[in-house]
Amino acid sequence: MNTRQAFEFHGEAAEYFRVWIVNLFLSIVTLGIYSAWAKVRNKQYFYGNTRVAASAFEYTAEPLTILKGRILVVAVLSLFSLLAEYYPLLDAFYLPLILLILPWLVLRGLVFNARYSSYRNLHFSFTGKLLNTYAVVLILGMLTPLLIVFSAYFLWMGSRSYASDMSNMSGLVLGVTLLLFIWWVVASYYLRQYYVNNSRYGRLSFVMLASLKQFFIIFGIAAVSFSAALLLFLMTAINTAATSFQMGPGMTYSISIIFIMLLYLRAYLKVHVFNQVWNMTRLTDIQDQPPTQLLSFSAELKVNALFFIYLTNIMASAVSLGLLIPWARVRLARYQIERMTLLSHGDLDRIIADEKNKVDSFAGEMGDLLDIDISL
Amino acid sequence: MITLQVNYFDGQSAASVSAELCLEANGDCQLLAHQLQYNFHWSDAELSPELAKTARRLQLPNGGQCEVTDLAALHAMEAQQQDKQKTKGLLYWVNCMESRWHYVVLTAIVVISMSAGMIIYGLPALSKYIALALPVSIDQQLSEGTDALLESDLFKTSEIPLKRQQRIAIAFTDIINQLDDEHSFSLVFRRGLGANAFAFPSGVIVVTDGLLNLAESDAEVHAVLLHEMGHVVNRHGLRLLLQGSVATLLLTTITGDFSVSAGFIAALPMMLLKKGYSRDLEREADDFVLTYLESHEMSAKPFTDILQRMSSGHEEAGSIWQYSSSHPATDERVRRLQQRR
Ligand SMILES: [Zn+2]
């Protein structure tokens, strides 16, 4: 038995505007205290309006939990900067400390968000391990690019002392660019894999089957065509603008063109990564022997359509001084959600709660401290 | 008795069961479905707050949940049980605000005017407070690259007779000695960029030959120099920088949108803002001139004269410095100066 069920989005711009503006108002008049409730209500609006197979999603976090977490973060940060006033030595530990705590905070946020997202009264969960999180977030995500840039810097400093060869220099720049590109692709891939593979819905595990090779193809095409377009544009721009140092309208024009190119690049990457990841994700009951694949997805975003939405959203938000942001968000959400389909290879009723993972006090006590959202 | 069609989820599986919920006047509830009958009391179940047209959920004591899409029938149930209900929660009132347009318009007006007030009055006051508390050495760092710019081919060496340059420089030093300010001022003569004068945050003040040729007396030149010193003494470079960055931060946090290229969303309002900010700073620099002239019992006429002549001669095209291009309409400034007298 195979069934296809389209994801639906029932939000409306005018309706969401009211939720959004009341959230803003209450957050301002309560000096930010209400922002925890605002966050929950905002999420509930989008979750509650997303439906598939005749049921909506649900966000069930307690605002008070989120508020406590936020107060804690503010308290720790102010305590630290107060201590740094008296012990200036502490300043040196600030960055390493934050780097060290960050992966833990990321994990907490993911666990919290999953635990309080549910569908048909079954909650999602996130089973990432701390060690794994450090490997992905700290080592791959933050330390690797720093290492590449620093080693290049020292290499450059070293070579400068005995030879100031231009070809050497461009070789170095090319090498660093290539390394950073490889890092970008690898990090993007493993971050998503970490996110997807550690997600659960009831007893079902998400499994991402997309390969690193496919990521390299997507990012490679994007990087090559973007660089070519940029080079072409810069050459024509230099030819036309020619000699004089132009700051006026010419500069604004060039910046806008480059911005539009960047936006197109973003839409391209988003669409292909999103489609790739979702189309290659399965929900599997690993406790069944042999494992059964129950659900998969089909995502069909289009680059031009998404680019057009991005561009018009930005223009509308800017021209309306932010008042059209709700419209822009609803529009983007509708497009992304309604281009997705759920494919079930079996009975949804067979999905059952994960008994083992039922009580998760770890997630409940403090909430999402960083407000992170990893979007695919 | 009120009945309601719901979807029932037992919390053990993702199965969706369509069921009927019946509520008696005394609060007794019964959930009925194929092979299922469950009795509970209304007050033991927890109903999720209302939010737009999204489905509401009744969390049952057995861990099950009813998803309700028929909001009108649910309202009837709530109304019937009102006397047994606990006090209405915060989110009940929030929903009331969201669902009535006149409240929404009211909150929108408050939000818009408060953000506007913060940006127009709060921020400049705050950045002034911060800038004046910061050491003068920061202004030095802000002006890095000054020398390179002055030696670039935008400028040529001045053709003003050395004698006149020296006379102006002496008057300049004289004013500085009276100022009691920590900046290390210096005066630079250059040819280029029309009739203009501008200051770098560090205290380097540039006057162009065009301006000196336009001036009909030394008093007029002194007034212009004073205006530029006003920018330096009042830390306008630093303040503009602080205001700009805090405003961007504020705009992005208010809109809460770090994802949709927030910087570009903020670009247009920022442009308008910067224009407004620099106009206020021009007024402050003008006031600095007036205060000086008043304390020395000198007339403001030379200042208004040269302002008028500068604007009638040639309006500057956009230039790269913070405050050379953004002088407010001269008529308005002159009128203000004359009123103050
Ligand atoms: Zn000025």
Side-chain angles (χ1 to χ4, degrees), chain A residues 12 14-15 17-26 28-29 34 37 41 44-45 48-49 51 54-58 120-122 201 245 247 259 263 266 313-314 317-319 321-323 325 329 332 348-349 351-353 355 358, chain B residues 7 9-16 48-55 57 59 63-65 67 69 90-91 94-95 97-101 104 107-108 110-112 114-115 154 254-257 259-261 264-265 268-269 272 320:
Chain A
E12 290 161 20
E15 194 181 71
F17 175 81
R18 297 183 293 187
V19 175
W20 179 76
I21 197 83
V22 170
N23 270 347
L24 266 183
F25 169 76
L26 291 174
I28 291 176
V29 297
Y34 185 79
W37 279 262
R41 217 162 162 72
Q44 274 172 347
Y45 185 84
N49 279 309
R51 301 180 75 89
S55 306
F57 288 82
E58 191 190 3
R120 292 189 171 185
N121 203 20
L122 281 192
Y201 171 59
F245 172 148
M247 283 304 291
F259 169 65
L263 201 67
R266 229 189 87 175
N313 272 359
I314 287 171
S317 306
V319 168
L321 298 178
L323 286 178
I325 285 174
R329 282 191 195 160
L332 184 64
L348 273 180
D349 298 8
I351 303 172
I352 53 174
E355 294 301 328
K358 196 132 201 181
Chain B
N7 286 319
F9 312 119
D10 60 9
Q12 305 299 314
S13 78
S16 171
S48 70
E50 202 169 346
L51 171 62
K53 292 196 293 284
T54 58
R57 289 151 200 284
Q59 209 71 41
Q65 183 195 64
E67 186 189 46
T69 42
L90 162 76
L91 292 175
V94 172
N95 183 62
M97 288 174 80
E98 286 166 0
S99 45
R100 287 170 181 74
W101 270 110
V104 170
T107 53
V110 174
V111 168
I112 292 168
M114 281 186 79
S115 353
L154 279 168
I254 284 183
T255 58
D257 223 328
S259 51
V260 190
S261 314
F264 275 88
I265 289 186
L268 185 82
L272 298 172
I320 18 178

Side-chain angles (χ1 to χ4, degrees), chain B residues 46-77:
Chain B
E46 202 178 328
L47 185 62
S48 70
E50 202 169 346
L51 171 62
K53 292 196 293 284
T54 58
R56 294 177 72 187
R57 289 151 200 284
L58 192 67
Q59 209 71 41
L60 307 183
N62 69 346
Q65 183 195 64
C66 299
E67 186 189 46
V68 186
T69 42
D70 184 356
L71 298 179
L74 194 61
H75 274 152
M77 281 188 166

Side-chain angles (χ1 to χ4, degrees), chain A residues 144 244 317:
Chain A
T144 313
S244 69
S317 306

Side-chain angles (χ1 to χ4, degrees), chain B residues 227-228 231 282 285 323 327 333:
Chain B
H227 172 93
E228 299 306 329
H231 283 311
E282 288 311 326
Y323 21 78
H327 285 167
R333 280 172 77 192

Side-chain angles (χ1 to χ4, degrees), chain B residues 160 190-196 207-215 314:
Chain B
I160 298 292
R190 283 289 183 277
R191 189 157 55 91
L193 292 180
N196 219 333
V207 273
T208 66
D209 287 11
L211 184 101
L212 293 178
N213 292 332
L214 197 70
H314 24 189

